[in-house]
Amino acid sequence: MTPPQHAPIRWSAFVEAFLSALARSRSKPAQPLDPALVEELRIALAARRELGPEYDRELAEAFLQEVSRVLEERVEQLWRQHERRRRRTVLGRGLLLTVVLLTSIPLTFVAGATTGVTGIIVVWVGLIVLTALALLLLRSQ
């Protein structure tokens, strides 16, 4: 069975979907307007007043290029933040599992030597519960 083929993503459709997702997002407060983008719009509007409607297309394209640049920078910044959080989570899980393995050997030995099979079972149940709780806490970050 071959994987389904997907149509290439159009940039304009991506920008529309991205902007509509930002508009629908209610969980986070709206981002403040980029001062450079506001200034760019003011400049474009002033240029339109001076040059007249003949240059509307060129002015609109120039402004949209600036908006695209700002959006790309913001998406790149959000992606870097996401990757940083993901790497920290993966590192935390790896360290957690390493600590559990390193502590399980001596704990199992001491529990087996002092209380037998019952002690070993208690130690392993405790390790499993603590590991599960720690993984849930790492997941919520």
Side-chain angles (χ1 to χ4, degrees):
M1 184 173 176
T2 61
Q5 297 295 325
H6 298 287
I9 297 175
R10 293 188 332 259
W11 176 246
S12 60
F14 172 77
V15 171
E16 286 177 25
F18 183 76
L19 291 176
S20 66
L22 285 177
R24 284 191 313 259
S25 174
R26 304 221 192 297
S27 61
K28 294 182 181 178
Q31 294 288 328
L33 293 176
D34 184 5
L37 198 56
V38 172
E39 185 61 27
E40 188 71 27
L41 180 59
R42 286 187 184 132
I43 291 171
L45 291 174
R48 188 205 182 273
R49 280 191 296 269
E50 288 182 24
L51 298 174
E54 307 85 46
Y55 291 96
D56 280 353
R57 182 182 180 104
E58 290 83 4
L59 291 171
E61 287 175 1
F63 178 70
L64 289 176
Q65 284 177 349
E66 183 65 20
V67 169
S68 294
R69 184 190 64 77
V70 169
L71 281 175
E72 287 174 3
E73 287 176 2
R74 180 69 177 142
V75 168
E76 186 68 29
Q77 177 189 19
L78 291 172
W79 180 254
R80 283 192 302 269
Q81 289 173 357
H82 169 75
E83 281 298 306
R84 246 183 272 128
R85 281 193 305 269
R86 187 189 64 77
R87 283 190 207 118
R88 273 197 308 257
T89 302
V90 168
L91 179 64
R93 286 180 185 158
L95 288 174
L96 171 70
L97 294 176
T98 302
V99 168
V100 167
L101 285 174
L102 289 176
T103 58
S104 66
I105 295 168
L107 287 174
T108 302
F109 175 74
V110 170
T114 57
T115 60
V117 175
T118 306
I120 293 173
I121 291 172
V122 169
V123 163
W124 277 95
V125 167
L127 285 171
I128 290 170
V129 167
L130 288 176
T131 303
L133 288 173
L135 287 174
L136 285 174
L137 288 174
L138 280 173
R139 180 180 236 173
S140 67
Q141 289 180 352

